[in-house]
């Protein structure tokens, strides 16, 4: 299991600083978060596998307002589990080839 402690947060990302790879097999995932989660890594795994990957929540300088998100720019189409920092699964989301899926983290209880 990955340690979800905060790492040194990188500075804000300017608009258009992440290139998404959208193809007939690949989609992307953006997990929207809150400012207090900047520097936190959010793990995901393809459904049915134990292998996880993570992305850091960063401040994104977008118009008309700033956003806070973790971006997974190149994911094989399929179902993905989003993991909460306590180790429990938060949700399952479908990544569709050629599209960007979005999820709000954390989910309200």
């Amino acid at each position: 299991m990955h340690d979800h402690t905060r790492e040194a947060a990188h500075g804000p990302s300017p608009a258009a600083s992440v290139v998404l790879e959208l193809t007939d097999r690949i989609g992307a995932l953006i997990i929207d978060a809150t400012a207090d989660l900047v520097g936190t890594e959010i793990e995901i795994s393809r459904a049915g596998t134990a292998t996880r990957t993570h992305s850091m929540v960063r401040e994104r300088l977008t118009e008309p307002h700033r956003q806070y998100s973790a971006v997974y720019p190149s994911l094989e189409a399929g179902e993905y589990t989003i993991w909460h920092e306590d180790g429990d699964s938060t949700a399952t989301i479908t990544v569709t080839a050629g599209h960007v899926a979005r999820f709000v983290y954390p989910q309200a209880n």
Side-chain angles (χ1 to χ4, degrees):
M1 182 171 290
H2 186 75
D3 180 8
H4 286 270
T5 57
R6 294 187 199 284
E7 295 186 7
H10 300 282
S13 296
S17 65
V18 178
V19 176
L20 304 180
E21 180 184 337
L22 304 175
T23 71
D24 61 348
R25 290 184 23 249
I26 303 295
L29 171 62
I30 297 173
I31 298 180
D32 296 304
T34 55
D36 61 310
L37 292 175
V38 168
T40 300
E41 292 184 342
I42 300 175
E43 290 185 330
I44 65 169
S45 62
R46 188 165 171 114
T49 69
T51 304
R52 296 183 185 185
T53 189
H54 61 271
S55 181
M56 183 183 292
V57 175
R58 294 190 59 186
E59 180 179 12
R60 314 278 174 184
L61 302 176
T62 57
E63 294 296 331
H65 53 80
R66 294 170 190 238
Q67 296 179 332
Y68 304 91
S69 59
V71 178
Y72 306 81
S74 178
L75 296 174
E76 188 175 332
E79 298 286 317
Y80 286 83
T81 301
I82 299 170
W83 297 94
H84 190 271
E85 60 190 340
D86 65 8
D88 291 335
S89 64
T90 296
T92 300
I93 190 160
T94 301
V95 173
T96 304
H99 297 275
V100 178
R102 291 194 89 115
F103 180 79
V104 177
Y105 180 96
Q107 290 288 283
N109 293 330

